[in-house]
Amino acid sequence: MQRRNTRQRKLILEVVRSMNDHPTADEIYLAVHERDEHIGRGTVYRNLNVLADEGEIVLLKTPGGNRFDWRTAEHSHVICTACGSVADVFLPYNNSLDDAASDSSGYVVDSHYTFFEGLCPSCHARYNSKGAA
Amino acid sequence: MQRRNTRQRKLILEVVRSMNDHPTADEIYLAVHERDEHIGRGTVYRNLNVLADEGEIVLLKTPGGNRFDWRTAEHSHVICTACGSVADVFLPYNNSLDDAASDSSGYVVDSHYTFFEGLCPSCHARYNSKGAA
DNA sequence: TTTCATGCAAAAGGTTTGCAACATA
DNA sequence: TATGTTGCAAACCTTTTGCATGAAA
C-alpha cells in the first residue's frame, strides 16, 4: 500500500513534534483540531498509528490511553502515580537482559522496555507538605 | 471501609489461582461465570481490583486489557508480539535502576517493571516454517 | 441491624471502522 | 485516473458506575 503524504498527516506530525510532553492520542487530537476544526478523531488516530508504524514517532502504551513521543531514540519513561504525568528516562539499554529473559521464559525475546513509577516533582512536594508518605 | 469476604470474592480468587496463564479480566469473568452464571461483570471487575489492592493478586496492565497474576512474588513478563500470550520472566530486581532513573528524570522513582517482547515458542515455530523473519 | 457488596444494565472512555466523498500521485 | 485518505458517525471493547436488592458481620 503506497502511502500518501496528506495535508492532515503532515499537520499531525508537526503538532506531535511541537508538544513537549507525552501527549495522549486524544490530547493530540484536541491540539490538531484547534488548528483545523474539520479534522476528525478517526483521521488523527489513524495517522498516529501510521506514523508510529513508520517510525516517525513512538507509541507508548500507558494506562489511561496511548501516548506518543516524537523522540525516537531509545529511552525509558517514568509515570507519576499521583497525577499520571510522564517524563523521559535516559538509561543505557541492557541487551543482555533479553537473553536472560529468553532463557527464563522460553520465548524468543528481542526487546524490552522499562517503565518506572514514582512521583513527579510537584506531586512529591504536595504530598510532603501534607505529611502523607 | 471494612471489607467482607463474600462468596463471590472467594470464588473469584479461587478461579484466578486455578488459571495458569495471565488471564485478562474478561477471561476471568468468563471462567467465573461458568461456575456461577449469576455473577455479573461488575462484580468480577470490582473484586479483581479489590484483590489486587489487597495484594492477593497482581494487576498487569497490558495492551488489550488488564491481566491478573496469582504469583505475587516480584517478577517480569514477556508478551508474544504475534499472539499476545504472556509468560513469566524471573530475573533479579535491580534496585539501582530506580536511583538512576530518579537522577535522569527528576521524579522520585520508587519502582519499575520491565516488559519483554518477543515470540512465544509456537509462534516462533510458525513464523520460521513460513520463512518470515 | 448496619452497611458493604451484588446484579443488572446503562454509561463512560478510548479506539477502530464502514462508507461515500475527496484528494494525492 | 486510480486508489489511498478523509470526515463523520456509529460500532467496539474494556471497564466503571448507579441503584435497588441482598447478605455478611
Side-chain angles (χ1 to χ4, degrees), chain B residues 2 7 26 30 42 46 48-50 56 60-62 65-66 68 72 82 92 98 106 108 113-114 120 125 129 131:
Chain B
Q2 176 55 40
R7 184 175 64 73
D26 219 63
L30 259 25
R46 252 184 310 235
L48 288 173
N49 287 336
V50 168
E56 295 281 345
L60 235 157
K61 292 172 181 168
T62 61
N66 291 343
F68 294 86
T72 53
D98 294 335
V108 179
Y113 54 87
T114 302
C120 71
S129 67

Side-chain angles (χ1 to χ4, degrees), chain B residues 76-92:
Chain B
S76 305
H77 294 93
V78 54
I79 187 166
C80 176
T81 51
C83 73
S85 72
V86 172
D88 293 308
V89 172
F90 292 96
L91 289 178

Side-chain angles (χ1 to χ4, degrees), chain A residues 36-47:
Chain A
D36 179 341
E37 58 176 330
H38 286 292
I39 295 187
R41 267 199 174 72
T43 301
V44 174
Y45 277 76
R46 253 185 307 236
N47 276 302

Side-chain angles (χ1 to χ4, degrees), chain A residues 94-132:
Chain A
N94 185 354
N95 276 302
S96 67
L97 271 188
D98 294 335
D99 297 332
S102 294
D103 290 346
S104 170
S105 66
Y107 280 42
V108 180
V109 177
D110 52 47
S111 69
H112 68 267
Y113 55 88
T114 303
F115 226 91
F116 294 90
E117 295 185 322
L119 293 174
C120 72
S122 68
C123 284
H124 182 248
R126 177 150 23 85
Y127 274 80
N128 265 21
S129 68
K130 285 191 184 166

Side-chain angles (χ1 to χ4, degrees), chain A residues 8-95:
Chain A
Q8 291 87 340
R9 186 119 82 216
K10 277 183 272 188
L11 174 57
I12 291 165
L13 180 54
E14 192 184 317
V15 166
V16 173
R17 287 196 170 138
S18 76
M19 295 178 88
N20 276 328
D21 279 340
H22 297 77
T24 62
D26 219 65
E27 285 167 351
I28 295 168
Y29 161 70
L30 258 24
V32 168
H33 196 255
E34 233 168 66
R35 295 245 233 141
D36 179 341
E37 58 176 330
H38 286 292
I39 295 187
R41 267 199 174 72
T43 301
V44 174
Y45 277 76
R46 253 185 307 236
N47 276 302
L48 288 172
N49 287 335
V50 167
L51 291 167
D53 233 49
E54 290 175 339
E56 295 281 345
I57 59 179
V58 169
L59 165 59
L60 235 157
K61 293 172 180 167
T62 62
N66 290 345
R67 290 164 181 272
F68 294 87
D69 195 340
W70 56 269
R71 270 156 295 222
T72 54
E74 229 296 313
H75 63 282
S76 305
H77 294 93
V78 54
I79 187 166
C80 175
T81 51
C83 73
S85 71
V86 172
D88 293 310
V89 172
F90 293 95
L91 289 178
Y93 188 88
N94 185 354
N95 276 302

